[in-house]
Amino acid sequence: MSKLEYPRAVGVAPGNGYSHVVTGHGQWVAIAGQVALDPDGKLVGVGDPGAQAEQVFANLERCLAAAGATFEDIAKMTIFVTDMAHMPAIRAVRDRYIPGTKPAASAVQVAALFNPDVLLEIEAFAIV
């Protein structure tokens, strides 16, 4: 596990559920955008952002494990969402998977993802 640090950016308002700056030393791990596909490639939670977020975070956890990492090693996460109204459900799931200090993060509303039933996609970068 890497030792990440979260320096305070002077003069920048504190983030709400994310860190502005994360540093660390170790191997860089890039996790491609994960969507709510189960191991068989079937979409989970059509129309339900909470259910989709559960599958996305489970997929992220599996990808991190493949690299010898955990959620504690994530330095940066980007959430792509088709409707910002889904963010409370996504954050609730995120907070269960990442209960402590949060990584640097961005949330971006997009017009569409690769499938109209996919409500969110999350990519992550970790250091192990």
Side-chain angles (χ1 to χ4, degrees):
M1 184 182 336
S2 70
K3 174 67 175 147
L4 297 180
E5 296 178 16
Y6 305 86
R8 172 81 167 96
V10 177
V12 177
N16 182 9
Y18 64 93
S19 299
H20 284 289
V21 181
V22 180
T23 64
H25 297 280
Q27 179 180 337
W28 177 257
V29 177
I31 308 289
Q34 296 298 302
V35 297
L37 296 178
D38 70 13
D40 295 323
K42 295 181 183 160
L43 183 63
V44 172
V46 173
D48 183 342
Q52 287 198 17
E54 286 287 348
Q55 184 64 50
V56 168
F57 276 90
N59 291 348
L60 286 168
E61 187 169 49
R62 291 180 186 105
C63 291
L64 288 163
T70 69
F71 282 103
E72 292 178 358
D73 299 310
I74 293 178
K76 174 69 166 81
M77 177 182 290
T78 304
I79 300 170
F80 302 96
V81 62
T82 58
D83 187 337
M84 282 295 177
H86 300 324
M87 286 304 298
I90 296 167
R91 285 185 185 118
V93 175
R94 178 208 58 196
D95 290 349
R96 284 200 317 278
Y97 279 86
I98 309 173
T101 303
K102 307 295 188 260
S106 300
V108 181
Q109 182 170 321
V110 296
L113 292 165
F114 78 97
N115 174 324
D117 290 326
V118 173
L119 304 176
L120 66 134
E121 180 172 336
I122 301 176
E123 67 181 17
F125 299 97
I127 301 173
V128 293

